[in-house]
Amino acid sequence: MITKILTIEDVKQFAKQLTAEGLSFHPDDDFNDYINFTTNTPSYNKEDAELRNELMNECFDVCENEGVDIYEIMMEELLLESGLDKIIPLPSKQ
């Protein structure tokens, strides 16, 4: 798991990691609110959720400093990693 977000590539890597965890995520959501629908239990314990919240905040900071749209970057990585780019156009290709 990435532990610090310093660059746009780190933002992309974090999105890839979240997708690899099986998460369909949105940058505005609190990781404490994610529920595993199979077990009906929280997807993350408090510590893991707070780490991901902190990393997402860092993603927002990096994207803002670089003048990049966090939603576009996160959506594109989610689509690529999940294979959904085969049926949903990538934001950068529109």
Side-chain angles (χ1 to χ4, degrees):
M1 166 64 77
I2 195 165
T3 58
K4 196 79 175 152
I5 308 294
L6 301 172
T7 67
I8 295 298
E9 282 306 311
D10 292 343
V11 173
K12 292 178 180 181
Q13 185 62 38
F14 183 54
K16 289 176 185 179
Q17 289 176 358
L18 294 174
T19 305
E21 292 174 2
L23 197 64
S24 176
F25 65 93
H26 188 279
D28 293 338
D29 290 343
D30 185 331
F31 287 93
N32 287 295
D33 295 338
Y34 285 102
I35 301 294
N36 179 315
F37 290 115
T38 303
T39 63
N40 205 31
T41 60
S43 295
Y44 301 104
N45 65 35
K46 189 77 169 159
E47 181 179 290
D48 290 340
E50 290 308 314
L51 170 62
R52 284 161 181 77
N53 284 332
E54 182 178 321
L55 291 170
M56 189 62 79
N57 287 336
E58 291 174 8
C59 288
F60 272 97
D61 291 342
V62 166
C63 287
E64 183 177 330
N65 289 338
E66 296 293 326
V68 176
D69 185 340
I70 188 172
Y71 303 101
E72 186 174 303
I73 288 178
M74 292 285 189
M75 175 60 80
E76 188 155 312
E77 293 304 321
L78 184 138
L79 292 174
L80 287 167
E81 291 301 306
S82 66
L84 289 172
D85 62 310
K86 309 293 187 274
I87 56 175
I88 300 172
L90 296 174
S92 64
K93 306 292 185 207
Q94 295 180 352

